[in-house]
Amino acid sequence: MAIIRFIKGLFLHQRLFYGLAVLALLYLLSYWFNGLFGITNILLLVFLLVVFIDTLVLFRGSGKIKATRALPEKFSNSDVNELKVTLENKYPFSVSLDIIDEIPVQFQKRDFSKHIKIPARESSSFSYTLRPTERGEYVFGHLNLYASTKLKLVRRRYRFEKDQMVKVYPSFIQMKKYAFLALDNRLTLHGMKKIRRIGHTMEFEQIKDYVPGDDARTINWKATAKRGSLMVNQFQDEKSQPVYALIDASRVMKMPFKGLTLLDYAINSTLAFSNIALKKKDKVGMLTFAEEVKNHLPASSKKTHLQTILEVLYNINTKFLDSDYGGLYNQVKRKITQRSLLLLYTNFEHITALERQLPYLKALSRKHILVVIFFQNTELDQLITKPATSLPDVYHKTIAQKADYDKKVMVARLEQYGIQTILTKPDDLTVNTINKYLEIKARGIL
């Protein structure tokens, strides 16, 4: 067994083959120069002795190199995630390490390589990043290290951390980023806008002293008379309002954009806006639908509800079949009895697709505040802006302009029936969704 382990761990360096090639050339030359033959024999013996010593010092003892791959508890989908590798050299001399990490098959990355030199009895570390584009379980293979001395004639392989698994969840990094910006009042830097409040459709919070800038219409005259100084009523947003994310998981959401499907963009957006809605004390729920309604999660405002939403979003599985809006309407009618804000993530590429589902959308909007969220086809932008220099270019540009115009017609068609819409690029989905939620809250529409 020891011999087998030795053979499996022994790798020959390129420098050894260069040395053998030189010796072979000397033997060839000795055919014409007889004096070279004896010298070449001596050089061969010296070379083999050096190779033996190099092998001996590398393979003497075990556990001379230690390595750990530190994985985070979970990866954030569509975001850059950092991994750290820590190395320790227990040899009494410096070593050169060639590192090959067996990255999960989902990344289709087969060119990972790192070279590091570590002094005697010292440690070192390095980090690298990965960007997953699919939810699910990712399994790492071996962390392979090939150690060699300064001679670099042979290498010894060390293997660590086989079958480490990490789960890729919806983008919790994006969720935390927007939550921080919302609390820090810096939303406008990322495209989020302040909405002017209309009327007083908010809950009473307290009576406080008047300060310059307060709305004079909120002065509480009774409290002012008792106190002898101006007092005003302070209001806060209404709480415990139900908000539902309705996620279309049918084939229309399989369209890719920057490595992600539209469904994954919708899932990331749902997690981000749900976090903000829960911080505003609203009740958040969700359901997904395709050929049938799945993953129905009743609205709740509990502190632990965000983790429940994260787990449900992580486990969304779909065969990308056609969507059943009739089934969606029946489920909403039976399960969501209180007037709610419904954020419907879907996609319509043609006006006829919208017309087929319009009766169900109108029915949903009669009892609830319905916001239909669908996507711009950004792949058409290049065709629209590119000058047409040939007849095929004219055809392509005309078709692209027609498709772009149809999207705007869909928005007008929905708004005609009082259905609010968001037509957005996939990159801007989360920002625009949070904007719409904040706008509806500020205007007291719900």
mmCIF file of all heavy atoms in Angstrom, residues 10 49 72 110 183 188 194 216 231 244 252 279 288 307 354-355 363 368 379 410 427:
data_model
loop_
_atom_site.group_PDB
_atom_site.id
_atom_site.type_symbol
_atom_site.label_atom_id
_atom_site.label_comp_id
_atom_site.label_asym_id
_atom_site.label_seq_id
_atom_site.Cartn_x
_atom_site.Cartn_y
_atom_site.Cartn_z
ATOM 1 N N LEU A 10 3.691 10.602 -6.755
ATOM 2 C CA LEU A 10 4.902 11.068 -7.425
ATOM 3 C C LEU A 10 4.578 11.610 -8.808
ATOM 4 O O LEU A 10 3.959 10.941 -9.635
ATOM 5 C CB LEU A 10 5.903 9.913 -7.556
ATOM 6 C CG LEU A 10 7.193 10.218 -8.332
ATOM 7 C CD1 LEU A 10 8.002 11.292 -7.611
ATOM 8 C CD2 LEU A 10 8.007 8.950 -8.542
ATOM 9 N N LEU A 49 21.311 10.483 -8.990
ATOM 10 C CA LEU A 49 21.512 10.666 -7.550
ATOM 11 C C LEU A 49 20.779 11.909 -7.047
ATOM 12 O O LEU A 49 20.126 11.889 -5.991
ATOM 13 C CB LEU A 49 23.008 10.755 -7.250
ATOM 14 C CG LEU A 49 23.382 10.978 -5.773
ATOM 15 C CD1 LEU A 49 22.891 9.802 -4.926
ATOM 16 C CD2 LEU A 49 24.891 11.183 -5.621
ATOM 17 N N PRO A 72 -17.785 29.491 2.775
ATOM 18 C CA PRO A 72 -18.838 30.134 3.567
ATOM 19 C C PRO A 72 -19.982 29.171 3.811
ATOM 20 O O PRO A 72 -20.083 28.116 3.158
ATOM 21 C CB PRO A 72 -19.272 31.304 2.669
ATOM 22 C CG PRO A 72 -18.899 30.896 1.289
ATOM 23 C CD PRO A 72 -17.663 30.045 1.419
ATOM 24 N N ARG A 110 -12.254 24.757 -15.727
ATOM 25 C CA ARG A 110 -11.249 23.700 -15.671
ATOM 26 C C ARG A 110 -9.820 24.250 -15.791
ATOM 27 O O ARG A 110 -8.904 23.505 -16.078
ATOM 28 C CB ARG A 110 -11.502 22.701 -16.804
ATOM 29 C CG ARG A 110 -12.840 21.985 -16.697
ATOM 30 C CD ARG A 110 -12.865 21.059 -15.489
ATOM 31 N NE ARG A 110 -14.146 20.390 -15.334
ATOM 32 C CZ ARG A 110 -15.140 20.822 -14.580
ATOM 33 N NH1 ARG A 110 -14.983 21.949 -13.874
ATOM 34 N NH2 ARG A 110 -16.262 20.155 -14.491
ATOM 35 N N LEU A 183 -32.153 51.828 5.171
ATOM 36 C CA LEU A 183 -32.019 52.339 6.534
ATOM 37 C C LEU A 183 -31.127 53.566 6.579
ATOM 38 O O LEU A 183 -31.284 54.427 7.450
ATOM 39 C CB LEU A 183 -31.444 51.246 7.431
ATOM 40 C CG LEU A 183 -32.338 50.021 7.654
ATOM 41 C CD1 LEU A 183 -31.584 48.971 8.448
ATOM 42 C CD2 LEU A 183 -33.620 50.420 8.366
ATOM 43 N N THR A 188 -31.524 56.971 -3.209
ATOM 44 C CA THR A 188 -31.479 57.723 -4.465
ATOM 45 C C THR A 188 -30.176 57.506 -5.217
ATOM 46 O O THR A 188 -30.120 57.664 -6.428
ATOM 47 C CB THR A 188 -31.662 59.225 -4.190
ATOM 48 O OG1 THR A 188 -30.723 59.632 -3.194
ATOM 49 C CG2 THR A 188 -33.064 59.506 -3.690
ATOM 50 N N LYS A 194 -37.526 59.246 -3.812
ATOM 51 C CA LYS A 194 -38.428 59.624 -2.743
ATOM 52 C C LYS A 194 -39.798 59.957 -3.336
ATOM 53 O O LYS A 194 -39.894 60.612 -4.365
ATOM 54 C CB LYS A 194 -37.886 60.835 -1.991
ATOM 55 C CG LYS A 194 -36.567 60.550 -1.254
ATOM 56 C CD LYS A 194 -36.099 61.772 -0.530
ATOM 57 C CE LYS A 194 -34.782 61.500 0.216
ATOM 58 N NZ LYS A 194 -34.292 62.703 0.924
ATOM 59 N N ALA A 216 -48.070 72.503 8.797
ATOM 60 C CA ALA A 216 -48.986 73.253 9.673
ATOM 61 C C ALA A 216 -50.336 72.582 9.797
ATOM 62 O O ALA A 216 -51.065 72.787 10.782
ATOM 63 C CB ALA A 216 -49.155 74.685 9.150
ATOM 64 N N MET A 231 -48.050 72.209 19.202
ATOM 65 C CA MET A 231 -47.873 70.762 19.203
ATOM 66 C C MET A 231 -48.451 70.213 17.900
ATOM 67 O O MET A 231 -49.450 70.710 17.384
ATOM 68 C CB MET A 231 -48.585 70.110 20.404
ATOM 69 C CG MET A 231 -48.201 70.710 21.753
ATOM 70 S SD MET A 231 -46.489 70.331 22.209
ATOM 71 C CE MET A 231 -46.600 68.576 22.485
ATOM 72 N N TYR A 244 -47.870 40.295 -1.297
ATOM 73 C CA TYR A 244 -47.580 38.960 -1.844
ATOM 74 C C TYR A 244 -46.754 39.082 -3.118
ATOM 75 O O TYR A 244 -47.012 39.939 -3.963
ATOM 76 C CB TYR A 244 -48.869 38.204 -2.171
ATOM 77 C CG TYR A 244 -49.535 37.564 -0.977
ATOM 78 C CD1 TYR A 244 -50.415 38.289 -0.174
ATOM 79 C CD2 TYR A 244 -49.292 36.233 -0.659
ATOM 80 C CE1 TYR A 244 -51.033 37.701 0.922
ATOM 81 C CE2 TYR A 244 -49.901 35.640 0.446
ATOM 82 C CZ TYR A 244 -50.770 36.370 1.219
ATOM 83 O OH TYR A 244 -51.368 35.792 2.311
ATOM 84 N N VAL A 252 -41.883 31.096 -19.933
ATOM 85 C CA VAL A 252 -41.565 32.476 -20.319
ATOM 86 C C VAL A 252 -40.492 33.080 -19.430
ATOM 87 O O VAL A 252 -39.889 34.094 -19.779
ATOM 88 C CB VAL A 252 -42.831 33.368 -20.294
ATOM 89 C CG1 VAL A 252 -43.864 32.872 -21.279
ATOM 90 C CG2 VAL A 252 -43.421 33.458 -18.888
ATOM 91 N N LYS A 279 -39.154 44.916 7.406
ATOM 92 C CA LYS A 279 -38.600 45.971 8.254
ATOM 93 C C LYS A 279 -39.602 47.106 8.448
ATOM 94 O O LYS A 279 -39.551 47.832 9.450
ATOM 95 C CB LYS A 279 -37.298 46.509 7.654
ATOM 96 C CG LYS A 279 -36.132 45.521 7.750
ATOM 97 C CD LYS A 279 -34.856 46.104 7.196
ATOM 98 C CE LYS A 279 -33.702 45.108 7.283
ATOM 99 N NZ LYS A 279 -33.362 44.763 8.672
ATOM 100 N N THR A 288 -45.702 30.550 -6.042
ATOM 101 C CA THR A 288 -45.216 30.381 -7.403
ATOM 102 C C THR A 288 -46.239 29.577 -8.187
ATOM 103 O O THR A 288 -47.017 28.796 -7.610
ATOM 104 C CB THR A 288 -43.856 29.651 -7.425
ATOM 105 O OG1 THR A 288 -44.027 28.324 -6.910
ATOM 106 C CG2 THR A 288 -42.834 30.388 -6.589
ATOM 107 N N GLN A 307 -36.380 34.048 6.985
ATOM 108 C CA GLN A 307 -35.667 32.793 6.782
ATOM 109 C C GLN A 307 -36.566 31.764 6.104
ATOM 110 O O GLN A 307 -36.108 30.995 5.250
ATOM 111 C CB GLN A 307 -35.171 32.251 8.126
ATOM 112 C CG GLN A 307 -34.343 30.977 8.028
ATOM 113 C CD GLN A 307 -33.076 31.141 7.201
ATOM 114 O OE1 GLN A 307 -32.451 32.199 7.214
ATOM 115 N NE2 GLN A 307 -32.700 30.101 6.475
ATOM 116 N N LEU A 354 -50.391 38.637 -23.707
ATOM 117 C CA LEU A 354 -51.034 39.435 -22.666
ATOM 118 C C LEU A 354 -52.545 39.369 -22.779
ATOM 119 O O LEU A 354 -53.249 39.237 -21.769
ATOM 120 C CB LEU A 354 -50.555 40.884 -22.758
ATOM 121 C CG LEU A 354 -51.259 41.887 -21.842
ATOM 122 C CD1 LEU A 354 -51.020 41.538 -20.379
ATOM 123 C CD2 LEU A 354 -50.796 43.306 -22.129
ATOM 124 N N GLU A 355 -53.068 39.455 -23.982
ATOM 125 C CA GLU A 355 -54.518 39.455 -24.175
ATOM 126 C C GLU A 355 -55.144 38.167 -23.651
ATOM 127 O O GLU A 355 -56.269 38.192 -23.133
ATOM 128 C CB GLU A 355 -54.852 39.638 -25.657
ATOM 129 C CG GLU A 355 -54.503 41.002 -26.226
ATOM 130 C CD GLU A 355 -55.362 42.122 -25.657
ATOM 131 O OE1 GLU A 355 -56.412 41.816 -25.041
ATOM 132 O OE2 GLU A 355 -54.998 43.300 -25.818
ATOM 133 N N ALA A 363 -59.501 40.485 -13.181
ATOM 134 C CA ALA A 363 -60.234 39.930 -12.039
ATOM 135 C C ALA A 363 -59.420 40.068 -10.757
ATOM 136 O O ALA A 363 -59.972 40.373 -9.683
ATOM 137 C CB ALA A 363 -60.564 38.465 -12.322
ATOM 138 N N HIS A 368 -57.660 43.418 -5.312
ATOM 139 C CA HIS A 368 -56.316 43.674 -4.795
ATOM 140 C C HIS A 368 -55.635 44.766 -5.614
ATOM 141 O O HIS A 368 -56.081 45.123 -6.703
ATOM 142 C CB HIS A 368 -55.476 42.392 -4.846
ATOM 143 C CG HIS A 368 -56.091 41.230 -4.137
ATOM 144 N ND1 HIS A 368 -56.034 41.060 -2.774
ATOM 145 C CD2 HIS A 368 -56.796 40.157 -4.622
ATOM 146 C CE1 HIS A 368 -56.654 39.945 -2.430
ATOM 147 N NE2 HIS A 368 -57.126 39.382 -3.546
ATOM 148 N N GLU A 379 -31.646 42.535 -25.379
ATOM 149 C CA GLU A 379 -30.875 42.077 -26.531
ATOM 150 C C GLU A 379 -31.269 42.829 -27.800
ATOM 151 O O GLU A 379 -30.529 42.839 -28.788
ATOM 152 C CB GLU A 379 -31.075 40.569 -26.729
ATOM 153 C CG GLU A 379 -30.596 39.717 -25.567
ATOM 154 C CD GLU A 379 -29.104 39.842 -25.334
ATOM 155 O OE1 GLU A 379 -28.355 39.906 -26.333
ATOM 156 O OE2 GLU A 379 -28.683 39.891 -24.167
ATOM 157 N N MET A 410 -48.250 47.104 -24.241
ATOM 158 C CA MET A 410 -48.711 46.260 -23.137
ATOM 159 C C MET A 410 -48.868 47.067 -21.855
ATOM 160 O O MET A 410 -49.825 46.895 -21.102
ATOM 161 C CB MET A 410 -47.731 45.104 -22.914
ATOM 162 C CG MET A 410 -47.668 44.110 -24.043
ATOM 163 S SD MET A 410 -46.476 42.792 -23.668
ATOM 164 C CE MET A 410 -45.941 42.349 -25.314
ATOM 165 N N ASP A 427 -31.435 43.829 -14.867
ATOM 166 C CA ASP A 427 -30.488 44.395 -13.897
ATOM 167 C C ASP A 427 -31.157 45.364 -12.932
ATOM 168 O O ASP A 427 -30.709 45.525 -11.788
ATOM 169 C CB ASP A 427 -29.350 45.117 -14.623
ATOM 170 C CG ASP A 427 -28.295 44.149 -15.127
ATOM 171 O OD1 ASP A 427 -28.237 43.021 -14.611
ATOM 172 O OD2 ASP A 427 -27.538 44.524 -16.043
#
